[in-house]
Amino acid sequence: MPDYMFLLESRLLPEQRAALLRVQELSAALGYNVYLTGGTVRDLITGASLRDLDFTVEGNPSKIARELEKGGAKVLVEDEKLRHVEILFAGDCEGSIAAARDDHYVRPGTRPEIRWSTIMEDLRRRDFSLNAIAISLNPASRGLLLDPTNGLSDIERAEVRALIIHSFTNQPVRLLRVLRFAARMGFKLEQRTQEWFDLAIERDLQHTITPEDAGAELRGLAREENPGAILKLWEEHDLLETVHAVLAKKHPDYDAINRLNKVRDDLFMAGLRPRLAAPMMLAILGRLKDREQGSLLHKLGFRAAEVEHILGFEEEAHASAKELAGKKLAAPIDAFRFLEKMPLETLAHLLAFSSNSGAVSKIRAYLNKWRPLRQGIPTIANELTAIGMPAGPKFDTIVNQVFAMQLTGRGKTPEEREKILRKLSGIKEQPKPKETKGKDKKGAKAAAKAGAAHAAKPVAHAEKPAASTAKAHKAAATKKPEKKKKK
Ligand code: ATP
Ligand code: MG
């Protein structure tokens, strides 16, 4: 059996690891059992990127949420009835914490009665076996996999399997979900699940999906890496009209979706993992009029702040592009600082759709040249130390000045940089000692020895080190072996 804890720890981003440890700690302090569940476990097993952390606790998550808020986490949505908290952990890492619960249906298709439960009952009430696996985060069983419905073997078979015959009757939104997971993972529907799916469509259950449930699926869709494939599948099964009639009639803007996806790939290559929810939603709704977009989002239960963010997104991005291309940000270092703070989704949107060529070329320079140069800042700092500059505010200013110069194409070689660093720091290279001819060889040797001994000592506070010291540091910084002097 694979070591799931090892697998997990090796796949988490540092901020995700910190969030996991904190939730574990808080749960232990409250005496709650805590598990990693749902999409997180599925994505871990299948090797997909871990976008968010879904926790389930045998207890009330709101107490954990309050503590997390003190540490900088933001609660995005809190459903007190369901005891479900959507949260942005400190470090901008998305996730959720929910109470373990059982959904009890008096009759198939009725509203379920909620009962707080153990993790095992909670896993069994879930939609598909691949979403019903948990990993224990409790001290005595940390890393133990709980898979009561055999989800692992369905993942191996590349199948999405509903857990009970009434699955779609109980929650018709699962008709959208089953296709979303199948398209996303390239899985097919397990044979009986396919039969239940067909039967549900025959009985027209898709028309009983509530707008809020459809809205949640649309929200999930906009966070997908390949929403186009899912939308096509929904269209093929006439399910898009159950999400929204106007969207079904006018169709999603597949071109815009593809353009944004292409940009996402480019950003991945540059080492960035953007969340594209707002621009992707706009791309999906691209063929609808502004008014239609607004009414769709409201109808599907999007929160006011979400609607405002999505509908105001394009205008804000446009304003950012104007500022970026403007005179105030003409110096590359100013544009760099501005782009560093620009949300990745804005940056992606501009790359995909902006006609402001000045802004777009700066974004490209930022991704392809400036960010890689920033990785070289420690080298500049080493080089500055090597010529004898002590740490302090002036040190940092000089490093930043050299970085700013590099953005304009200067200081590419270590030699060029040394000149610049010396000029900015005022640390001059000591003149070479005069060559002594034949007569005084003994004296020269002694002087060289003394110099070498001095070079070996640390010179943390020497503003003007001896020439031999500077050379020794330079050699260390450039890591080239010192050439032997010709005799
Ligand atoms: P994603 O990667 O899109 O976030 P996810 O599986 O985490 O995928 P969520 O919508 O975040 O999907 O739901 C979290 C978990 O809650 C699911 O994995 C599933 O176990 C459970 N779940 C969500 N919706 C339903 C539903 N309608 N019926 C049963 N279980 C559900
Ligand atoms: Mg999730």
Side-chain angles (χ1 to χ4, degrees):
M1 196 173 83
D3 179 345
Y4 290 101
M5 229 43 230
F6 175 76
L7 199 62
L8 180 64
E9 274 163 14
S10 61
R11 294 274 307 284
L12 292 175
L13 299 171
E15 56 274 22
Q16 289 178 320
R17 185 170 307 138
L20 181 111
L21 289 175
R22 190 73 188 117
V23 172
Q24 221 170 254
E25 225 171 62
L26 291 168
S27 304
L30 288 161
Y32 296 163
N33 285 325
V34 61
Y35 305 86
L36 212 50
T37 46
T40 315
V41 180
R42 179 196 63 226
D43 294 343
L44 183 73
I45 291 166
T46 57
S49 65
L50 300 181
R51 297 186 310 181
D52 49 14
L53 296 179
D54 294 327
F55 297 95
T56 301
V57 292
E58 289 173 346
N60 191 340
S62 73
K63 288 188 186 166
I64 298 177
R66 295 295 82 77
E67 287 304 313
L68 289 170
E69 276 177 323
K70 291 181 196 163
K74 248 194 259 166
V75 169
L76 302 175
V77 190
E78 184 158 4
D79 185 331
E80 281 174 18
K81 262 199 211 150
L82 274 187
R83 296 194 181 167
H84 181 104
V85 185
E86 295 283 333
I87 201 161
L88 199 59
F89 294 103
D92 239 16
C93 128
E94 286 179 289
S96 68
I97 313 174
R101 68 165 206 266
D102 189 12
D103 293 338
H104 178 72
Y105 296 84
V106 179
R107 265 181 298 109
T110 54
R111 277 180 80 87
E113 193 185 291
I114 292 163
R115 294 174 181 170
W116 309 121
S117 74
T118 63
I119 185 70
M120 283 307 201
E121 288 158 316
D122 179 284
L123 292 175
R124 288 180 205 280
R125 61 107 196 141
R126 291 182 183 241
D127 47 5
F128 312 115
S129 64
L130 51 75
N131 284 342
I133 312 174
I135 294 177
S136 166
L137 299 175
N138 305 304
S141 56
R142 203 157 176 267
L144 185 74
L145 197 78
L146 308 179
D147 181 17
T149 64
N150 251 332
L152 266 188
S153 70
D154 289 314
I155 291 176
E156 268 167 32
R157 272 197 292 267
E159 288 183 348
V160 188
R161 178 167 61 84
L163 297 182
I164 54 168
I165 190 167
H166 300 304
S167 185
F168 298 116
T169 316
N170 284 343
Q171 289 200 32
V173 70
R174 292 174 184 164
L175 294 166
L176 292 170
R177 287 179 69 81
V178 77
L179 296 184
R180 180 152 76 90
F181 289 115
R184 184 207 286 189
M185 307 182 68
F187 283 14
K188 56 180 181 6
L189 271 55
E190 175 262 350
Q191 192 199 330
R192 275 201 308 172
T193 304
Q194 181 71 57
E195 287 165 20
W196 297 337
F197 178 91
D198 295 341
L199 203 66
I201 298 279
E202 226 171 83
R203 290 171 53 208
D204 228 8
L205 287 186
Q206 64 275 30
H207 289 112
T208 62
I209 298 174
T210 66
E212 288 72 23
D213 283 350
E217 276 311 290
L218 192 65
R219 190 183 287 112
L221 180 83
R223 297 170 63 235
E224 291 279 345
E225 275 175 28
N226 191 4
I230 298 164
L231 281 161
K232 282 193 179 134
L233 211 51
W234 284 358
E235 287 210 282
E236 268 170 40
H237 290 84
D238 295 331
L239 286 177
L240 196 56
E241 65 186 65
T242 69
V243 176
H244 200 265
V246 182
L247 180 59
K249 192 170 150 229
K250 295 199 167 179
H251 303 287
D253 188 344
Y254 289 108
D255 280 347
I257 295 170
N258 288 340
R259 275 164 82 163
L260 206 50
N261 267 352
K262 164 95 191 36
V263 166
R264 188 206 306 271
D265 291 345
D266 294 347
L267 292 177
F268 268 138
M269 296 299 284
L272 296 166
R273 290 162 35 119
R275 272 187 245 126
L276 297 181
M280 190 55 87
M281 186 64 81
L282 283 175
I284 294 169
L285 306 181
R287 288 159 164 263
L288 276 61
K289 293 188 182 123
D290 291 358
R291 181 174 40 80
E292 292 169 330
Q293 293 180 345
S295 92
L296 175 146
L297 295 172
H298 281 297
K299 182 176 171 229
L300 297 183
F302 279 64
R303 298 182 298 279
E306 275 182 294
V307 178
E308 203 179 306
H309 177 59
I310 295 167
L311 297 183
F313 184 81
E314 197 157 19
E315 210 177 301
E316 263 182 44
H318 185 68
S320 293
K322 217 170 147 190
E323 199 176 341
L324 180 59
K327 273 190 195 149
K328 273 193 187 160
L329 301 181
I333 188 66
D334 294 329
F336 176 86
R337 300 268 177 250
F338 183 79
L339 282 164
E340 253 189 333
K341 282 193 222 121
M342 182 183 273
L344 275 184
E345 56 175 12
T346 307
L347 194 146
H349 178 86
L350 292 176
L351 273 181
F353 306 113
S354 177
S355 55
N356 186 333
S357 56
V360 170
S361 66
K362 279 187 181 167
I363 296 176
R364 291 205 183 286
Y366 172 73
L367 292 174
N368 304 326
K369 291 190 205 148
W370 300 349
R371 282 185 80 249
L373 275 174
R374 192 186 53 182
Q375 320 278 331
I377 285 185
T379 307
I380 304 176
N382 283 341
E383 289 169 346
L384 188 53
T385 308
I387 65 165
M389 181 80 192
K394 188 176 170 197
F395 185 102
D396 297 341
T397 310
I398 294 173
V399 171
N400 285 329
Q401 280 173 315
V402 176
F403 173 58
M405 288 166 114
Q406 285 190 313
L407 297 186
T408 64
R410 296 181 56 195
K412 281 185 184 157
T413 63
E415 290 74 21
E416 246 183 283
R417 282 198 300 277
E418 182 176 339
K419 265 190 209 153
I420 297 170
L421 287 168
R422 286 192 182 282
K423 197 166 170 209
L424 293 174
S425 63
I427 300 174
K428 296 204 175 66
E429 195 165 8
Q430 291 288 303
K432 287 176 195 166
K434 278 184 188 165
E435 289 256 328
T436 42
K437 286 183 191 170
K439 275 189 216 165
D440 204 350
K441 266 188 183 170
K442 263 190 186 173
K445 266 187 189 169
K449 235 182 180 179
H454 182 74
K457 282 185 200 159
V459 283
H461 297 293
E463 279 262 332
K464 290 185 180 178
S468 47
T469 310
K471 270 188 193 145
H473 278 299
K474 186 180 158 194
T478 52
K479 289 202 177 142
K480 278 183 196 159
E482 220 176 345
K483 280 183 193 165
K484 274 190 186 168
K485 274 184 198 158
K486 282 182 191 167
K487 279 189 183 166

